[in-house]
Amino acid sequence: MIRITLIGSGNVAQHLIKAFTKSGLIEIAQVFSRNKETLAHLLDSDKIITDFSALIPTDLCIIAVSDNAISEVSKQLPFQNQLVVHTSGAAPLDVLDSKNRKGVFYPLQTFSKNKEVDFSEIPFCLEAENHTDFAVLEMVAKSISNAVFSITSEQRKALHVSAVFVNNFTNHLYQLGQQICEEHQVPFEILKPLIQETSEKIKSLNPAEAQTGPAKRNDSDTIDGHLKYLTNENQKNIYKILTQSIQNNGKEL
């Protein structure tokens, strides 16, 4: 069994707790949370720690907090020369305090507390300072996932920026589409099969090959009609920028 300590009680931490609890290889020794009630539905009370000084060394300490808090949290850990990792896609390895051995345990997925995920399909991007520590991270990741990768900090930065485009920005476009539907009393559910087919299509096609629509066809009459129809300036500007990007095939506007 690999004994781990988890720091955090947010979306990522809670999903990891659930996944590790189901794993036959991982024992959750301690979880740090400022409020025990946040994790009371997931863990026995004696495993939930609210004071950094009560933390003990384990095989692996995973810091699952906001990017801005990683550095300060790693400084407050009361032990040295232990394997400590963070789960951030954007933060470099060096953000962790040097008193401990450093690594990254990044699950590339979007997490919401009320939406279950299948960890077996979630890619884990791992980084460590030496082969021995990497082997530990690899064992932990493979105990819950079938997709484990060795990724450097620079590569992870590229992945995270890409993820913002394909996930965060795309979801925002869903929100704008829903707003337009609601403004005109059209059920947003009508668009859900289209959204599903769009995401399914890139499993077999390159995104550039899968691109369709008036911008791809250079259908200027339709584009002009859409721009005249849109009254929200924010929506109109986004429509123009994305149309130009598609027509330039992603090159500089």
Side-chain angles (χ1 to χ4, degrees):
M1 296 289 284
I2 298 176
R3 301 180 75 241
I4 71 163
T5 299
L6 191 60
I7 311 293
S9 59
N11 289 345
V12 175
Q14 292 198 26
H15 279 284
L16 285 175
I17 290 170
K18 294 176 184 178
F20 288 146
T21 300
K22 296 176 184 177
S23 169
L25 181 67
I26 308 301
E27 177 191 349
I28 300 176
Q30 295 180 316
V31 177
F32 177 87
S33 173
R34 298 192 184 280
N35 184 354
K36 281 200 173 193
E37 294 303 315
T38 306
L39 301 176
H41 63 295
L42 295 174
L43 292 164
D44 292 337
S45 178
D46 60 346
K47 289 190 174 184
I48 305 173
I49 308 301
T50 58
D51 187 344
F52 278 110
S53 64
L55 293 171
I56 61 173
T58 54
D59 299 312
L60 172 64
C61 176
I62 301 176
I63 299 177
V65 300
S66 65
D67 290 3
N68 292 341
I70 294 172
S71 177
E72 185 59 33
V73 166
S74 68
K75 292 176 183 177
Q76 294 186 64
L77 298 178
F79 42 73
Q80 297 182 9
N81 197 31
Q82 302 298 309
L83 178 54
V84 176
V85 302
H86 67 67
T87 60
S88 168
L93 187 72
D94 291 341
V95 74
L96 293 164
D97 192 273
S98 59
K99 67 183 176 185
N100 284 298
R101 307 192 313 275
K102 296 177 283 190
V104 177
F105 189 78
Y106 170 47
L108 204 169
Q109 187 52 276
T110 176
F111 294 100
S112 298
K113 286 180 181 176
N114 297 322
K115 176 67 170 63
E116 295 297 321
V117 294
D118 182 359
F119 264 86
S120 67
E121 298 181 353
I122 294 178
F124 273 81
C125 303
L126 310 181
E127 185 178 5
E129 294 180 302
N130 60 67
H131 294 298
T132 302
D133 287 343
F134 185 88
V136 172
L137 296 182
E138 190 173 41
M139 282 191 290
V140 172
K142 286 185 175 180
S143 75
I144 58 177
S145 172
N146 296 322
V148 179
F149 302 89
S150 173
I151 299 291
T152 67
S153 286
E154 194 63 26
Q155 290 172 323
R156 184 162 38 83
K157 186 184 299 183
L159 272 174
H160 195 258
V161 172
S162 299
V164 169
F165 272 96
V166 304
N167 172 238
N168 305 131
F169 290 169
T170 301
N171 189 74
H172 182 63
L173 295 178
Y174 294 160
Q175 180 185 354
L176 295 182
Q178 184 178 29
Q179 289 173 356
I180 294 170
C181 284
E182 289 176 350
E183 288 168 4
H184 299 277
Q185 293 78 51
V186 178
F188 180 66
E189 284 69 23
I190 296 176
L191 291 174
K192 289 184 178 179
L194 175 63
I195 294 171
Q196 183 67 33
E197 174 60 19
T198 303
S199 64
E200 288 291 326
K201 193 184 293 186
I202 61 167
K203 293 180 179 179
S204 57
L205 292 177
N206 182 291
E209 297 171 337
Q211 185 69 56
T212 61
K216 175 70 173 180
R217 299 190 299 268
N218 288 312
D219 188 346
S220 58
D221 288 344
T222 299
I223 292 169
D224 290 342
H226 286 171
L227 289 172
K228 289 177 182 177
Y229 183 79
L230 291 170
T231 57
N232 182 293
E233 287 301 317
N234 181 53
Q235 294 171 0
K236 187 175 292 189
N237 288 334
I238 292 173
Y239 187 103
K240 288 178 181 178
I241 290 171
L242 292 179
T243 295
Q244 291 174 15
S245 182
I246 292 170
Q247 290 177 336
N248 289 346
N249 198 25
K251 298 176 183 177
E252 187 174 342
L253 298 179

